[in-house]
């Protein structure tokens, strides 16, 4: 149930009836100052000026034709024509009961289920995942959860970088050093760095490396085996990391660059035949109309090098075609950082021009900014290296542990382990998800692990309070599912009204892929719950109806916090 949508429809009907033209933006908003009203209708003044009527008269007319008695109990109009609406408590009580009984927490909007491919995480092979992979991994995962929750068919796609010249270099080096492949990922990463240095310096080695690329492309058994080992070692490591981070990706979701290799030669032929790709000094390029680089030259995407090798772009074009054909994708979303903005735009253009996807298929780049340190520089180690994701997690868990130990020094060891894990991981994820993904953000351990403010710990803590209240009450709310809720103060009403925004929030995220909206809403619920909790007696009430009413609000809070955190990929805790 989307309350704003329901009310807006009714307002619109009334507007039409009294002759306010569509172009006037008469809209419904939540009131910031709840004592003035729960909702507000804005935009009357400009409509009145144009219609040459007093704002107050126009507002009166609009209100007279508003058919919202069941939802709204009181309407006030200010001299300037602002219309304030107060919710009908009886209606609110019914809604709260419906929410408590609803499987999907009141999500009632019917959707046409789409096949949506989400390209996320997508690390490169032979390297440990680092901080640079965090945003794609956790934002992508949150969107997977939300799109599935509303009923879409989501295809997770981990587009790992498991193909290309780099593998020739690495295989050549491993052969040269006669390294067996029972190596750790950290060894491989070191060897890979050495190999790259040698590739630049040593012409003979470079030649060999290129030879191995060709061999690998032809699936030469010995090369192929080494390649497979390297991929397996990397991905075994990564899937452990995903598990730690509570990320839904599994082995089935690996769809790396290598799987498109066999499509590429036909793709080049086809693109040439369609007049989209052309030969250019031995390379094959796709000129991009209307786009120029900084020097003012026309831009082109290279899809085949002089030596016949294909590129990242060639694979991505094939990949779009594959995703459309294999999964019947209606929508493909890429969680990739903003540096690839122009690149992805070009790839999308090419795929559409070549008719690999029909024009109505949505190709979306949901880009994100960088993680910075407090000096506004990229967040790296002191030595200027990328921070490994595993090290980041370890540090967060240790910090969480210290915070818990300070509060509760005699806590049992297993409980401490479990709690610090859930709190530590939750903090990293929430700190990221709560920022608008478009922007860069500054990483701060102190802020993200704080008990106050917009943090996961603050929300997790509120959840603990809510469920312990329910437990202490020893009342089975199931026996009171349809009993009227008695609202006697604004703490109860304000919290209850906020629950009604859930559907609106979720569908905004479905459209735009912006988890911070959910974080802000959860934070709001938590603040309102804390106020309610601190100002309203709950367990020591003699008035049984009021007690049940308040417990229902607590129960619903716990459901929303749990579901909200789940959708963010964050675990709740039961104790602290
Ligand atoms: N592996 C790439 C990188 O680390 C990201 C891949 C994003 N997905 C894609 N289809 N290009 O930059």
């Amino acid at each position: 149930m989307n309350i704003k949508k329901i009310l807006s429809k009714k307002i619109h009907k009334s507007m039409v009836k009294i002759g306010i033209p569509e172009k006037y933006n008469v809209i419904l908003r939540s009131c910031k100052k709840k004592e003035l009203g729960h909702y507000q209708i804005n935009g009357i003044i400009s409509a009145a000026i144009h219609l040459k009527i007093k704002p107050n008269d126009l507002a009166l007319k609009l209100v007279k034709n508003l058919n919202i008695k069941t939802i709204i109990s009181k309407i006030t109009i200010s001299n300037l024509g602002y219309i304030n609406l107060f919710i009908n408590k009886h209606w609110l009580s019914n809604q709260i009961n419906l929410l408590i009984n609803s499987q999907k927490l009141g999500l009632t909007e019917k959707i046409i289920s789409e096949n949506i491919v989400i390209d996320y995480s997508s690390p490169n092979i032979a390297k440990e995942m680092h901080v640079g992979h965090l945003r794609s991994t956790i934002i992508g995962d949150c969107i997977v959860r939300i799109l599935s929750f509303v009923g879409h068919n989501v295809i997770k796609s981990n587009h790992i970088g498991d193909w290309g010249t780099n593998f020739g270099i690495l295989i050549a080096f491993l052969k040269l050093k006669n390294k067996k492949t029972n190596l750790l990922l950290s060894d491989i990463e070191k060897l890979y760095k050495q190999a790259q240095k040698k590739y630049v310096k040593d012409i003979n080695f470079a030649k060999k490396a290129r030879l191995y690329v060709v061999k690998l492309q032809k699936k030469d058994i010995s090369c192929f085996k080494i390649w497979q080992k390297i991929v397996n070692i990397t991905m075994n490591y990564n899937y452990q990391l995903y598990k730690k981070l509570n990320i839904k990706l599994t082995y089935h979701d690996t769809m790396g660059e290598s799987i498109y290799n066999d499509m590429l030669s036909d793709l080049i032929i086809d693109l040439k035949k369609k007049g989209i790709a052309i030969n250019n000094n031995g390379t094959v390029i796709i000129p991009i109309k209307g786009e120029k680089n900084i020097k003012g030259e026309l831009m082109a995407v290279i899809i085949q090098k002089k030596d016949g090798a294909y590129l990242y772009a060639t694979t991505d074009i094939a990949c779009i075609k594959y995703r459309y054909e294999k999964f019947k994708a209606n929508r493909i979303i890429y969680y990739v950082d903003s540096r690839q903005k122009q690149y992805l735009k070009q790839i999308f253009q090419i795929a559409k021009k070549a008719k690999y996807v029909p024009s109505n298929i949505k190709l979306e780049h949901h880009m994100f900014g960088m993680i910075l340190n407090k000096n506004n520089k990229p967040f790296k180690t002191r030595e200027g290296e990328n921070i490994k994701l595993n090290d980041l997690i370890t540090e967060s868990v240790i910090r969480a542990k210290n915070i818990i130990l300070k509060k509760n020094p005699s806590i049992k060891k297993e409980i401490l382990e479990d709690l610090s894990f859930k709190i530590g991981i939750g903090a990293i994820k929430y700190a990221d998800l709560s920022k608008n993904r478009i922007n860069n953000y500054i990483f701060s351990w102190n802020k993200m692990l704080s008990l106050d403010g917009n943090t996961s710990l603050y929300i997790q803590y509120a959840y603990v309070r809510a469920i312990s209240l329910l437990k202490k009450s020893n009342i089975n709310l199931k026996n009171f599912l349809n009993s009227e809720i008695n609202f006697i103060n604004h703490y109860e009403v304000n919290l209850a009204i906020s629950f009604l925004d859930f559907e609106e929030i979720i569908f905004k995220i479905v459209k735009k892929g912006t988890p911070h909206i959910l974080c802000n809403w959860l934070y709001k619920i938590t603040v309102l719950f804390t106020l309610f909790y601190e100002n309203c007696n709950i367990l020591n009430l003699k008035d049984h109806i009021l007690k049940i009413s308040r417990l229902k609000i607590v129960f619903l809070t716990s459901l929303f916090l749990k579901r909200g955190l789940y959708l963010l990929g964050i675990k709740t805790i039961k104790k602290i």
Side-chain angles (χ1 to χ4, degrees):
M1 193 267 325
N2 182 338
I3 172 129
K4 292 213 192 88
K5 209 167 170 182
I6 298 173
L7 289 175
S8 296
K9 261 193 195 154
K10 298 200 181 251
I11 293 166
H12 186 252
K13 253 194 189 162
S14 171
M15 269 176 72
V16 173
K17 217 169 173 185
I18 65 172
I20 301 179
E22 294 271 341
K23 61 178 177 184
Y24 296 110
N25 222 1
V26 178
I27 44 168
L28 183 86
R29 287 264 153 83
S30 283
C31 258
K32 287 236 160 68
K33 289 186 184 158
K34 297 286 185 226
E35 59 278 14
L36 296 179
H38 299 121
Y39 299 99
Q40 194 178 64
I41 304 174
N42 288 346
I44 286 289
I45 302 177
S46 55
I49 292 170
H50 282 85
L51 294 172
K52 302 202 167 57
I53 308 178
K54 275 192 199 153
N56 196 279
D57 291 347
L58 188 63
L60 258 173
K61 249 174 131 180
L62 185 86
V63 167
K64 261 199 188 141
N65 287 284
L66 261 181
N67 186 11
I68 49 175
K69 272 218 181 81
T70 43
I71 306 177
I72 298 298
S73 60
K74 186 174 112 185
I75 302 178
T76 62
I77 301 173
S78 77
N79 286 341
L80 282 171
Y82 289 110
I83 304 171
N84 295 312
L85 314 175
F86 291 84
I87 208 115
N88 179 332
K89 290 179 184 168
H90 173 63
W91 181 84
L92 184 60
S93 163
N94 283 343
Q95 293 307 315
I96 296 301
N97 281 335
L98 282 173
L99 284 177
I100 291 178
N101 284 315
S102 148
Q103 289 252 325
K104 281 189 149 188
L105 286 169
L107 224 68
T108 51
E109 185 163 320
K110 297 262 175 313
I111 60 148
I112 300 167
S113 177
E114 291 187 309
N115 301 321
I116 306 180
V117 175
I118 311 217
D119 182 319
Y120 74 112
S121 194
S122 310
N124 295 328
I125 293 304
K127 288 182 204 161
E128 273 190 48
M129 277 210 270
H130 58 79
V131 163
H133 299 107
L134 186 68
R135 303 206 78 183
S136 173
T137 306
I138 61 184
I139 300 172
D141 198 63
C142 168
I143 301 305
V144 165
R145 288 162 187 265
I146 291 180
L147 292 176
S148 313
F149 174 58
V150 304
H152 287 299
N153 174 34
V154 178
I155 301 108
K156 295 170 270 157
S157 181
N158 197 356
H159 190 82
I160 60 171
D162 62 354
W163 207 244
T165 332
N166 294 345
F167 285 94
I169 302 175
L170 187 53
I171 294 171
F173 198 71
L174 290 176
K175 288 216 173 214
L176 185 80
K177 297 273 163 195
N178 203 8
K179 288 274 178 203
K180 294 277 171 286
T181 39
N182 50 352
L183 299 162
L184 293 174
L185 179 54
S186 50
D187 301 328
I188 294 181
E189 191 164 351
K190 270 185 218 134
L191 290 165
Y192 180 45
K193 278 187 189 147
Q194 292 168 15
Q196 275 177 319
K197 277 191 192 140
K198 193 165 175 65
Y199 181 74
V200 182
K201 278 194 206 139
D202 180 340
I203 304 174
N204 281 332
F205 176 73
K207 253 190 203 160
K208 222 178 220 158
R210 277 194 288 270
L211 197 78
Y212 279 119
V213 178
V214 179
K215 275 189 166 184
L216 181 62
Q217 271 175 356
K218 290 192 177 139
K219 306 246 160 71
D220 166 272
I221 294 186
S222 134
C223 285
F224 196 75
K225 269 195 176 155
I226 300 177
W227 169 79
Q228 218 159 28
K229 268 266 168 75
I230 301 169
V231 174
N232 284 345
I233 291 170
T234 314
M235 290 318 286
N236 284 343
Y237 182 88
N238 287 343
Y239 281 107
Q240 271 174 24
L241 214 55
Y242 291 144
K243 209 168 164 199
K244 261 195 201 172
L245 274 171
N246 192 23
I247 296 296
K248 283 190 170 291
L249 286 168
T250 70
Y251 285 93
H252 304 291
D253 307 315
T254 299
M255 291 175 225
E257 293 177 24
S258 62
I259 65 169
Y260 307 99
N261 184 51
D262 294 342
M263 293 171 66
L264 302 185
S265 60
D266 285 348
L267 187 90
I268 303 265
I269 295 171
D270 187 57
L271 286 167
K272 279 188 185 167
K273 207 170 75 196
K274 287 181 172 148
I276 293 172
I278 51 171
N279 290 324
N280 182 301
N281 291 330
T283 63
V284 182
I285 62 165
I286 300 178
I288 302 291
K289 262 204 198 119
E291 277 200 33
K292 289 182 178 167
N293 65 14
I294 321 167
K295 290 186 196 154
E297 300 156 343
L298 275 177
M299 300 264 281
V301 174
I302 306 177
I303 54 172
Q304 190 166 22
K305 286 201 237 169
K306 275 192 182 140
D307 62 4
Y310 306 114
L311 292 100
Y312 181 56
T314 331
T315 301
D316 258 326
I317 300 168
C319 170
I320 294 179
K321 186 169 184 282
Y322 176 87
R323 286 171 178 174
Y324 176 67
E325 287 169 1
K326 170 137 177 155
F327 304 117
K328 315 229 165 357
N330 304 99
R331 188 178 176 198
I332 309 175
I333 311 178
Y334 293 72
Y335 286 94
V336 179
D337 75 60
S338 48
R339 287 170 301 183
Q340 293 191 37
K341 177 178 175 189
Q342 193 183 36
Y343 164 74
L344 285 171
K345 195 173 142 202
Q346 293 171 342
I347 298 299
F348 295 169
Q349 248 177 31
I350 295 167
K352 290 225 160 154
K353 199 167 167 206
K355 302 221 169 358
Y356 293 150
V357 286
S359 58
N360 64 336
I361 301 302
K362 289 164 275 181
L363 303 175
E364 299 171 28
H365 176 201
H366 289 188
M367 62 186 124
F368 48 83
M370 287 200 294
I371 307 181
L372 304 174
N373 65 19
K374 60 176 185 293
N375 301 319
N376 262 320
K377 295 268 157 36
F379 183 47
K380 300 215 168 191
T381 63
R382 238 176 257 163
E383 296 76 34
E385 301 269 336
N386 284 325
I387 296 173
K388 306 241 154 84
L389 216 44
N390 199 34
D391 295 344
L392 193 80
I393 295 172
T394 308
E395 174 154 5
S396 192
V397 173
I398 292 174
R399 284 175 182 260
K401 206 177 262 180
N402 291 337
I403 291 172
I404 303 163
L405 275 174
K406 240 188 213 161
K407 282 207 164 281
N408 185 357
S410 56
I411 189 166
K412 271 203 194 122
K413 194 159 177 279
E414 314 92 72
I415 300 180
L416 177 66
E417 293 300 319
D418 180 60
L419 271 183
S420 47
F421 212 79
K422 287 175 178 161
I423 292 173
I425 304 277
I428 296 182
K429 289 179 120 180
Y430 191 89
D432 195 301
L433 293 167
S434 58
K435 312 291 187 306
N436 187 337
R437 65 171 162 76
I438 307 291
N439 303 326
N440 298 338
Y441 76 89
I442 293 174
F443 192 93
S444 158
W445 285 118
N446 288 343
K447 270 195 194 145
M448 73 166 72
L449 276 158
S450 162
L451 242 172
D452 312 301
N454 192 4
T455 65
S456 54
L457 185 51
Y458 179 57
I459 299 170
Q460 283 168 322
Y461 187 58
Y463 178 75
V464 173
R465 280 177 155 180
I467 56 166
S468 66
L469 265 176
L470 294 166
K471 205 169 161 201
K472 270 190 208 146
S473 78
N474 219 1
I475 291 177
N476 189 354
L477 287 176
K478 285 207 178 104
N479 299 332
F480 302 93
L481 284 183
N482 295 313
S483 65
E484 174 95 13
I485 296 169
N486 191 7
F487 293 105
I488 63 165
N489 65 34
H490 64 275
Y491 298 112
E492 303 151 345
V493 175
N494 292 346
L495 177 55
I497 287 180
S498 299
F499 295 145
L500 306 179
D501 293 333
F502 184 61
E503 179 164 307
E504 185 193 358
I505 300 284
I506 291 296
F507 279 100
K508 262 191 197 159
I509 303 174
V510 166
K511 221 182 190 168
K512 297 199 168 147
T514 44
H516 72 281
I517 305 178
L518 177 59
C519 295
N520 289 344
W521 180 78
L522 282 172
Y523 176 56
K524 182 175 160 194
I525 295 285
T526 306
V527 169
L528 291 172
F529 172 71
T530 309
L531 281 169
F532 164 75
Y533 177 91
E534 284 166 0
N535 290 287
C536 303
N537 203 340
I538 300 169
L539 294 182
N540 300 324
L541 284 170
K542 285 214 179 79
D543 178 342
H544 191 66
I545 293 177
L546 190 59
K547 187 168 174 178
I548 298 292
S549 299
R550 289 186 171 167
L551 281 170
K552 278 187 177 180
I553 295 174
V554 175
F555 180 53
L556 205 47
T557 305
S558 75
L559 293 184
F560 274 118
L561 294 186
K562 188 168 176 102
R563 183 65 66 104
L565 287 174
Y566 167 81
L567 292 173
L568 295 174
I570 296 173
K571 292 191 170 157
T572 46
I573 51 179
K574 293 208 173 82
K575 246 189 203 160
I576 193 160

